[in-house]
Amino acid sequence: MAGRTTSRAAVFVLLAGWCAVVAFLVQLIVFGDHVNVFVTGAVNFFSQFLPAVACCLAAAGARGRRSEAFLVAGGVMAYSIGNLLLSVLTANDAYVPFPSISDAAYLLFYPAVMAALLIGMAREHRRIRASVAWDTAVGALGAGTLLAVVLRPAIEQVGGNPLQIAVAVAYPLGDAVLIAGLLGIACLHGGRLPRRWLPLMAGLALFSVGDIVYSLRVSSGGYQLHTPLDAIWSFGVALVSTWAVLQAQRPARARESETGNSAALIVPALANVAALGVLLAASAGMMSRLAVVLAIVTGLAAAGRTHVAYRQLRRMAELIRQARTDDLTGLANRRALYDLATERLRRSSAATSALLLIDLDRFKGVNDGLGHHVGDRLLVQAGQRLAERLRPDDVLARLGGDEFAVIADVADAEAATELARRLRAALATPFDLEGIAVRIDASIGIALHPEHGDDIHLLLRRADVAMYRAKTTRQGQCLAAPVAEGDDGGDQLRLLQELHEALAEDQLVLHYQPKMDLRDGTVRGVEALVRWNHPTRGLLYPDAFLAAATDAGLMDRLTETVLRLALDQAYRWREAGHALTVAVNLSAHSLQDTTLPVRVATQLRERGLPGSAVQIEITEDALMGDRTHATAILSRLRALGVQIAIDDFGTGFSSLAYLRDLPVDELKLDRSFVAPVSTDRHAAALVASTIHLSHSLGLRMVAEGVEDDTTLGHLRREGCDQAQGYGICRPATAEALIEWLQDAPHAEVTSASMP
C-alpha cells in the first residue's frame, strides 16, 4: 500500500515538474529580455529539480527497478544543481570561466543516465551479447565523426586548450553515446524500440540539439543564460525523468534478446555512411584532421561489425534450414511439411491435392537384423527413390522413423491411387545394403484435399487411418473413407467438435456385459462397453462415433477415459463387496504407446486396486503391426497383474504363432463361430477344436454372442469356460447389472472386500 502511495506521489510531482517546464518556456517567450533573473532562475531550477524528486519517489516505491530511477534522479539532480550554480554566478555578474564548476555538475548527468540504461537492459535481457556493446561503440564513433564536422568551428575557436575542447565536445558526445545505446536496445528488440523507451529517446534527442548549439555558442562567446535554448534542456530532463518513473512502475521481467536479425546491421550501416561521407568531403580538403581520423576508425569498426553481423545472419539461416530439414535424408521434416502444405493447399490451382502417408513394412526387421546404420542407409535410399518418382513441385518429407509423406496435385482419386502404386513399385526393387539384397514393401494411406479435409492436420489423421487399414488388410495402398453422401463435411466436423466436448465434459458412460462361468454360473468379470450420452441425440452406440474418433486422432483420449471410468466402477464395486474384473478394449494405436503400462499402474495405485481388477482386450488385427513392440507392452501390463485377452478370436489374419509368444490369459471366440454351433456341425467342430486348443495352451475360452439356452448348453458340454451375449444378459448400467446378478437364478456374483 505504501509503495502504491509513493508511486502516486511520484506521478503528482512529475506533473508539477512538467508544469514548471511549461511555465519556464512561457516566461522566456513572453517576457524575453525583460525577464526577472531570480524568478526565471528559480522556475528553471524547479523545472529540473521536481522531476529529480519524482524519480526519487518512484525509486522508493518501486519493487524491482529502483536502481534505474535513483541513477536518473542523481543525474537530473546534478544537472539542476549545475544550472542553479550557473544562475547564481551570472546573477552576481561574476566571471564564469569555461569550463566551470557548473559544467562538472552538468556532465555527471550523462554517466548516470548511461548506467541506468545499462541496468535497464540487463534487467530485461538474461543475456546480452558483446555485439550490443560493439553496436553502441560503432554508433558512438559514427556520432563522434559527425560531431567533429558540426563542431569544427567550436574546436577551432577554443584553440589548442585540450580541456576546453574536451568539455565542448563532451556534451554532444555524451548524448550520442546514449542514443547509440538506445539503438542497441532497438536491435535487441528486433529493430523496434519499445514504446516505454520513447520518452528517453525524445529527451536525449533534445539534449543533443541543445548541447550542439550550446557548444557552438560558447566557443563563439555568444551564449546567454535564460533563453529558449534553456527550455530545450528542461524539456529533455522532464522526458528522461518520465522514462525513469515509468520504468520504476514496471515489474522486472527478463527475456531472451533477439539476436541474429537484420536490425543488427542498421547501426554499422549508418555509421559507415557517415564515415564515407566525411572521407569524401575530406578528399576535397573540407574536413578537419580529427574528423578524418574518427571517420577511418568508424569505418574499420563498422566493417568489422558488419562482417560479424553477416556471419550471425548466415548462422541463423543455417539453423532455420536445419530446423526444417531431416538430418538423415536431407528431406523436409514434419515442421517444414506443415508450413509447405499449408501454403500449398492455400495456393494450389489444381482441383484436387493428395496427401500420401508412406510407412515402410518390415523396416524394424532390417534395424534389428542388420543394425541401425544399415537401416539409416535404407531410409536414405528410399527417400532418393521416392524423390525420383515425383515432380519437381511435389513435396516429399520424412516425418520420422520409417514414415514419409508426399503432397502432390492430382486429377482425381484414381490418379492419387496410381501415384501410390508407382511409389510402392519404386520401393519394391531390392536395396543393396552392404552386399545384401534387402526387399521391403510400403503401406500408403491417401487423403484428398478438399474431400477429406481442409488442413494438413486433418488430412494427416485421415491418411494415417487409411495407411493403417492398408497395412492390416495388406492392400498396399488405401484411400481414406469418403464423406457420407449428401454431406459436405459439415456434419462430420460438427460430430468431431461434439466429440471433443463429450470427452471434456464426461458425456461418455459405460455399460457392462457379464461373462458367466459355465461351470458354476458365477460372474467374475464384465466387459466395459462405451456409450455416448449425447445431449440432443440420446444414447449413442460405438458405431456412431468410434470411426470419427479414429479419424480425428482421439482414440488415445477415448481409451484413457474408458479406462478411468472402468477403474472407478471397479473400485466402487469392490468397496461394496463385489470382486469383478472389468475388461477394457484397446485400439491398435494404444499398443504402440510405451507410457500405457505406467499410466495403468498409476491409475491402479491411486485407487488401491490390484492388477487383477482390470483386463485388457485386444484384437488379432491390432497385433499385425509391430508384434515385438506390442509384446513388450503387454508383458509390462501382465507384470502388473493385468489379464490379457484376445478379442474376436478367429477373425484376424495372424498366424497362430503369436499365441506362443504373447502373454495371453484368455481367448474370446467371435460370435460368427458361436452362433451356428447348434445347427452347423462344421461350426460345432471348429468351436470344439478351438476350445481344446485354448485349454492345451493353458488359456481360458470365452464364447461371445450367445443368444439362447441351446447354444449355452452346447458350449457347456464342450468345456467352454465362460460365455457372454444377449441370451445371458444385455449390456447394462452398473446399477442394473448388480440388480440382474442378485435376481438371476442362474447367476451369482463373487464377493470380496477392498484390500
Side-chain angles (χ1 to χ4, degrees):
M1 187 66 181
R4 185 178 300 176
T5 302
T6 306
S7 298
R8 290 177 178 174
V11 174
F12 177 78
V13 174
L14 181 63
L15 291 176
W18 272 103
C19 292
V21 171
V22 175
F24 179 54
L25 178 62
V26 171
Q27 192 177 33
L28 293 176
I29 295 176
V30 173
F31 295 100
D33 296 336
H34 303 289
V35 66
N36 186 296
V37 175
F38 292 101
V39 173
T40 303
V43 176
N44 188 13
F45 171 73
F46 280 108
S47 69
Q48 298 173 1
F49 179 75
L50 288 176
V53 174
C55 292
C56 290
L57 291 173
R63 295 182 178 179
R65 295 180 178 269
R66 294 186 176 183
S67 302
E68 297 100 300
F70 272 130
L71 284 169
V72 172
V76 173
M77 189 71 71
Y79 203 91
S80 63
I81 292 174
N83 204 40
L84 180 63
L85 291 174
L86 185 61
S87 298
V88 171
L89 291 174
T90 55
N92 294 327
D93 295 326
Y95 170 71
V96 182
F98 178 76
S100 66
I101 189 174
S102 60
D103 290 300
Y106 286 144
L107 289 175
L108 288 176
F109 170 82
Y110 299 98
V113 175
M114 189 64 190
L117 194 64
L118 293 175
I119 292 175
M121 284 194 294
R123 288 191 193 279
E124 295 196 8
H125 299 275
R126 298 185 182 93
R127 181 180 60 176
I128 300 178
R129 296 179 182 264
S131 59
V132 177
W134 199 341
D135 287 334
T136 303
V138 171
L141 285 171
T145 302
L146 293 177
L147 289 174
V149 176
V150 175
L151 298 178
R152 181 180 180 183
I155 296 173
E156 292 175 348
Q157 186 69 28
V158 298
N161 190 324
L163 180 60
Q164 290 182 335
I165 293 176
V167 173
V169 176
Y171 289 108
L173 186 59
D175 299 321
V177 172
L178 291 175
I179 292 176
L182 282 177
L183 292 177
I185 293 176
C187 292
L188 288 175
H189 290 268
R192 302 177 301 275
L193 191 67
R195 292 183 180 179
R196 61 182 179 277
W197 293 84
L198 293 180
L200 181 59
M201 175 65 85
L204 295 180
L206 289 177
F207 263 91
S208 297
V209 173
D211 289 341
I212 291 174
V213 174
Y214 169 74
S215 298
L216 293 174
R217 288 189 177 182
V218 165
S219 62
S220 62
Y223 173 70
Q224 293 183 355
L225 193 65
H226 297 159
T227 65
L229 177 61
D230 296 333
I232 292 179
W233 287 310
S234 295
F235 272 100
V237 165
L239 286 168
V240 173
S241 301
T242 299
W243 169 78
V245 172
L246 294 176
Q247 280 287 97
Q249 294 179 348
R250 293 184 67 255
R253 295 177 180 174
R255 52 170 284 179
E256 293 291 343
S257 59
E258 297 180 23
T259 56
N261 52 64
S262 57
L265 297 174
I266 296 176
V267 173
L270 293 176
N272 250 330
V273 170
L276 289 174
V278 170
L279 292 175
L280 288 175
S283 64
M286 301 170 56
M287 292 293 132
S288 65
R289 182 176 300 175
L290 176 62
V292 172
V293 172
L294 287 174
I296 294 174
V297 175
T298 301
L300 293 174
R305 179 66 185 99
T306 302
H307 175 68
V308 172
Y310 176 70
R311 291 181 60 183
Q312 289 178 338
L313 290 173
R314 286 189 60 184
R315 175 60 177 165
M316 183 63 67
E318 178 62 19
L319 290 175
I320 293 174
R321 187 195 67 79
Q322 292 178 3
R324 295 168 54 87
T325 304
D326 177 59
D327 292 337
L328 178 63
T329 63
L331 301 174
N333 60 12
R334 184 182 293 269
R335 177 183 299 177
L337 176 70
Y338 287 157
D339 296 339
L340 293 171
T342 300
E343 182 67 16
R344 176 72 172 267
L345 297 178
R346 184 178 65 85
R347 300 179 56 182
S348 176
S349 58
T352 303
S353 295
L355 170 66
L356 282 69
L357 190 61
I358 306 168
D359 184 84
L360 304 184
D361 298 334
R362 301 191 301 276
F363 175 74
K364 189 176 186 304
V366 176
N367 266 344
D368 294 343
L370 300 179
H372 287 276
H373 67 289
V374 177
D376 289 345
R377 290 182 55 191
L378 173 60
L379 291 173
V380 172
Q381 294 185 27
Q384 293 171 350
R385 289 191 185 182
L386 292 173
E388 291 171 356
R389 298 302 193 279
L390 298 173
R391 295 167 299 189
D393 58 339
D394 293 337
V395 177
L396 172 62
R398 179 185 174 220
L399 303 184
D402 59 344
E403 276 194 345
F404 295 84
V406 172
I407 297 179
D409 292 336
V410 294
D412 50 29
E414 181 57 36
T417 304
E418 179 58 31
L419 174 60
R421 293 193 186 99
R422 292 200 305 270
L423 295 179
R424 291 186 61 239
L427 297 174
T429 305
F431 291 84
D432 185 7
L433 303 174
E434 296 189 350
I436 301 174
V438 177
R439 294 180 179 272
I440 62 170
D441 293 324
S443 298
I444 302 180
I446 308 168
L448 302 178
H449 172 272
E451 180 180 342
H452 297 125
D454 292 328
D455 64 86
I456 182 62
H457 302 283
L458 184 55
L459 290 174
L460 272 174
R461 287 197 296 267
R462 293 189 169 176
D464 186 55
V465 174
M467 184 271 293
Y468 174 73
R469 190 180 302 118
K471 187 180 290 288
T472 55
T473 60
R474 300 184 179 180
Q475 296 179 13
Q477 63 275 332
C478 185
L479 191 66
V483 178
E485 293 185 10
D487 182 13
D488 60 358
D491 290 344
Q492 181 74 1
L493 294 177
R494 192 178 305 110
L495 179 63
L496 292 178
Q497 177 62 33
E498 292 175 346
L499 190 53
H500 277 282
E501 295 174 358
L503 291 169
E505 299 173 4
D506 284 335
Q507 295 178 10
L508 298 183
V509 296
L510 297 184
H511 285 192
Y512 303 90
Q513 188 172 46
K515 296 191 292 185
M516 178 184 290
D517 192 308
L518 297 183
R519 292 168 297 184
D520 55 16
T522 59
V523 174
R524 295 181 176 86
V526 296
E527 180 180 0
L529 302 171
V530 66
R531 304 288 189 262
W532 180 0
N533 192 12
H534 196 280
T536 58
R537 298 168 60 186
L539 195 67
L540 300 181
Y541 284 74
D543 56 356
F545 59 88
L546 281 188
T550 301
D551 289 346
L554 295 176
M555 282 303 297
D556 284 344
R557 287 183 60 190
L558 192 146
T559 300
E560 188 76 14
T561 299
V562 170
L563 183 61
R564 172 176 57 82
L565 294 175
L567 289 177
D568 285 344
Q569 186 56 55
Y571 173 82
R572 286 190 290 268
W573 276 333
R574 286 181 177 253
E575 202 173 35
H578 307 310
L580 291 173
T581 298
V582 182
V584 176
N585 291 278
L586 289 190
S587 65
H589 189 270
S590 298
L591 290 183
Q592 306 303 316
D593 184 1
T594 56
T595 66
L596 177 65
V598 176
R599 291 188 283 113
V600 172
T602 300
Q603 295 208 36
L604 289 170
R605 184 173 59 254
E606 289 175 349
R607 295 165 177 81
L609 291 172
S612 58
V614 64
Q615 182 182 67
I616 299 301
E617 293 189 3
I618 56 175
T619 63
E620 291 178 284
D621 290 345
L623 302 171
M624 286 294 294
D626 190 343
R627 186 182 301 174
T628 302
H629 192 75
T631 301
I633 298 294
L634 295 177
S635 296
R636 292 170 59 191
L637 289 170
R638 184 79 174 284
L640 299 173
V642 175
Q643 301 179 47
I644 308 298
I646 302 297
D647 196 16
D648 300 334
F649 180 71
T651 60
F653 297 93
S654 299
S655 166
L656 290 177
Y658 75 87
L659 294 178
R660 176 195 61 199
D661 302 327
L662 289 177
V664 178
D665 300 283
E666 182 178 286
L667 300 180
K668 299 187 69 176
L669 190 60
D670 187 71
R671 66 182 66 244
S672 61
F673 296 97
V674 174
V677 292
S678 59
T679 58
D680 187 333
R681 63 185 182 87
H682 293 95
L686 283 173
V687 169
S689 61
T690 305
I691 293 174
H692 177 73
L693 172 65
S694 66
H695 289 167
S696 65
L697 295 174
L699 306 177
R700 290 191 306 273
M701 173 57 69
V702 179
E704 297 182 292
V706 177
E707 303 290 343
D708 50 57
D709 290 338
T710 303
T711 304
L712 190 64
H714 183 90
L715 293 170
R716 185 179 283 114
R717 289 190 299 273
E718 293 293 342
C720 185
D721 300 295
Q722 296 178 6
Q724 67 181 98
Y726 283 12
I728 299 173
C729 178
R730 290 176 175 269
T733 62
E735 296 78 9
L737 177 67
I738 295 299
E739 291 180 4
W740 176 85
L741 290 171
Q742 292 172 347
D743 295 340
H746 58 285
E748 178 183 343
V749 67
T750 57
S751 299
S753 58
M754 285 295 293

